[in-house]
Amino acid sequence: METIKVGMVGYKFMGKAHSHAYKDLPLFFPNVIRPEMKVICGRNTKEVVKAAYQFGWEEHTTDWMELVERDDIDLIDINAPSNVHKEIAIAAARAGKHVFCEKPLALTLQDSRNMLEAAEASGVKHMVGFNYRFAPAVMLAKKLVDEGRLGDIYHFRAWFLQDWLVDPNFPLTWRLQKEIAGSGSHGDLGAHLIDLAHYMIGDITEVIGINETFIKERPIPANMTGLSATGSADGKKEKVTVDDATLFLARFANGAIGSFEATRFATGHRSTNSFEINGSKGSIIFDFERMNELQVYFGDDRDDVQGFRRVLATDPVHAFSEAWWPAGHTIGYEHTFIHEIVELMEAFRENRQPIPNFKDGVKCQQVLEAVELSIARRGWVKPSEL
């Protein structure tokens, strides 16, 4: 297998990120199977034509059902809104197409399970888009945990803070509508934190949460592009049906405890995606706004030099870094998507499932819904019971 022919559904924020990854991967990872950017799909003819030209796709279409049936497509990439993930993924799997789907995997836990069942029944490869796993500094954090260099893990605390919705006149984009997005900050931002917790620490066994929607109504948008939108502050308003902020506590199977915070109302925080892990021998801190760095503390350092040290994860010894620039020449957000595609293409070469895959997406969805149930019940909920 020399190439994988890709058909992609979606052309906005994530569509651009995925397109960049497919296009630049061969330049930096020449020995990896090459993705062919065959067809991009979107509902708006004018916009998808423009995206095809700008992003470098060979063809464009407005019919995803026709796309998944094409004989010249191997992989369907889904980065359209969450409410269409299930239908497209199941149709693609049944047509024998491999599937790469953005997170959260689906609107509901049952939908995500249906997607996994369809993919497994068809024997296709399936991957879910938790791109933050693929920052070299995050992979270094995982390595330190797995090697036991932090000792027994006691705490995992994580926070994903944004402020793009603080203005009460910001329009009602699709991300603020439950029937399209599934949830607000919880499913959009919190899903990444949950996946990082699973990746770093292991299974979450129990959760309890709270949430809030600070702005109850917003103006109807005139147009939307990615995370931006325009509309009249004096125009008609409709109800916001998702959370603006969700916080929850968790217990892990290994005995650790965790805290999670996802909000779009943390004024001054553009995209502070961070976690801290404390163990019996040391600690680590990661902040995606400084994504090339990992703060590391080891308890067995000499007393006169103890403290957190800054480790720049750009040397060739760090994951993926050898493919990029000389040490100290940093990489950015877009490169995490390239690393995702490297993992996907290597899974094709090695005939295995990529990681993370739909099983990870289902496990994340299980925790998301357990938190929502705990909020409704005002008590602890075990994800395993859902």
Side-chain angles (χ1 to χ4, degrees):
M1 186 181 296
E2 295 181 356
T3 64
I4 293 291
K5 299 176 178 62
V6 184
M8 189 174 79
V9 185
Y11 58 86
K12 293 190 177 180
F13 177 23
M14 283 297 104
K16 181 179 288 188
H18 288 209
S19 297
H20 174 270
Y22 292 127
K23 194 167 187 176
D24 268 21
L25 183 143
L27 180 62
F28 294 94
F29 296 88
N31 297 321
V32 173
I33 291 175
R34 181 183 293 259
E36 282 189 43
M37 299 169 66
K38 293 292 293 183
V39 186
I40 185 171
C41 177
R43 290 173 295 181
N44 184 303
T45 300
K46 180 180 178 181
E47 292 300 318
V48 79
V49 168
K50 185 168 71 173
Y53 175 77
Q54 180 182 349
F55 300 165
W57 291 85
E58 293 179 19
E59 302 176 46
H60 57 82
T61 182
T62 57
D63 187 347
W64 68 259
M65 290 183 284
E66 176 188 336
L67 176 63
V68 300
E69 294 294 337
R70 285 181 54 153
D71 293 334
D72 61 343
I73 298 295
D74 303 311
L75 169 70
I76 297 295
D77 178 320
I78 306 167
N79 55 79
S82 304
N83 63 321
V84 298
H85 287 186
K86 175 187 175 182
E87 186 180 10
I88 299 173
I90 290 176
R94 288 176 177 169
K97 304 297 190 290
H98 309 288
V99 186
F100 174 35
C101 184
E102 263 303 327
K103 63 84 218 162
L105 192 55
L107 288 182
T108 68
L109 175 59
Q110 187 56 54
D111 284 355
S112 69
R113 285 172 169 160
N114 292 343
M115 292 166 66
L116 174 60
E117 289 168 4
E120 289 186 329
S122 299
V124 298
K125 303 287 187 290
H126 48 88
M127 188 175 193
V128 61
F130 288 119
N131 62 298
Y132 293 107
R133 285 194 185 204
F134 293 91
V138 170
M139 301 186 83
L140 172 60
K142 167 71 169 171
K143 180 171 179 282
L144 295 177
V145 171
D146 287 351
E147 290 178 348
R149 296 183 67 182
L150 303 185
D152 297 327
I153 303 303
Y154 298 138
H155 294 286
F156 178 87
R157 63 182 62 85
W159 54 102
F160 204 148
L161 315 177
Q162 296 181 345
D163 68 354
W164 61 284
L165 287 179
V166 169
D167 181 358
N169 291 317
F170 188 91
L172 186 78
T173 72
W174 68 264
R175 294 177 185 271
L176 303 178
Q177 298 172 282
K178 188 174 180 64
E179 67 273 18
I180 301 176
S183 65
S185 63
H186 185 45
D188 187 23
L189 308 181
H192 281 299
L193 303 181
I194 292 166
D195 180 69
L196 287 171
H198 285 151
Y199 178 53
M200 297 283 174
I201 311 299
D203 288 350
I204 293 171
T205 58
E206 200 171 14
V207 297
I208 186 169
I210 60 172
N211 67 4
E212 186 56 67
T213 302
F214 299 111
I215 306 299
K216 312 299 185 185
E217 293 184 334
R218 290 183 178 274
I220 297 174
N223 60 74
M224 294 181 282
T225 304
L227 295 182
S228 64
T230 59
S232 172
D234 300 324
K236 181 181 177 182
K237 294 185 178 182
E238 290 188 355
K239 186 178 179 181
V240 175
T241 53
V242 300
D243 60 292
D244 286 329
T246 294
L247 291 77
F248 69 94
L249 304 177
R251 294 188 181 277
F252 291 86
N254 68 353
I257 59 176
S259 64
F260 298 74
E261 178 179 6
T263 179
R264 295 161 170 167
F265 275 71
T267 312
H269 290 272
R270 298 300 188 249
S271 192
T272 306
N273 177 11
S274 303
F275 62 81
E276 179 171 351
I277 300 173
N278 307 127
S280 58
K281 296 181 180 178
S283 296
I284 50 179
I285 304 172
F286 173 77
D287 178 4
F288 194 75
E289 289 185 351
R290 306 186 69 159
M291 63 163 284
N292 291 278
E293 302 176 8
L294 186 68
Q295 298 292 325
V296 180
Y297 168 81
F298 292 123
D300 59 2
D301 284 343
R302 280 176 20 197
D303 290 347
D304 59 346
V305 292
Q306 278 198 353
F308 279 95
R309 69 187 70 173
R310 180 183 74 110
V311 177
L312 190 61
T314 59
D315 284 28
V317 69
H318 297 117
F320 298 109
S321 295
E322 191 171 10
W324 296 108
W325 316 112
H329 293 67
T330 56
I331 60 173
Y333 172 69
E334 68 275 20
H335 299 91
T336 63
F337 293 94
I338 296 178
H339 298 164
E340 267 188 321
I341 303 304
V342 170
E343 164 62 17
L344 179 56
M345 295 301 132
E346 288 297 273
F348 283 118
R349 185 188 302 280
E350 298 166 9
N351 194 26
R352 59 172 175 82
Q353 287 296 349
I355 298 174
N357 54 54
F358 282 12
K359 290 182 179 179
D360 300 284
V362 169
K363 188 160 70 168
C364 178
Q365 198 76 44
Q366 203 169 18
V367 175
L368 287 171
E369 291 201 10
V371 171
E372 291 179 340
L373 185 58
S374 82
I375 294 169
R377 290 180 177 176
R378 303 177 72 88
W380 288 89
V381 172
K382 295 180 179 179
S384 61
E385 295 179 351
L386 271 63

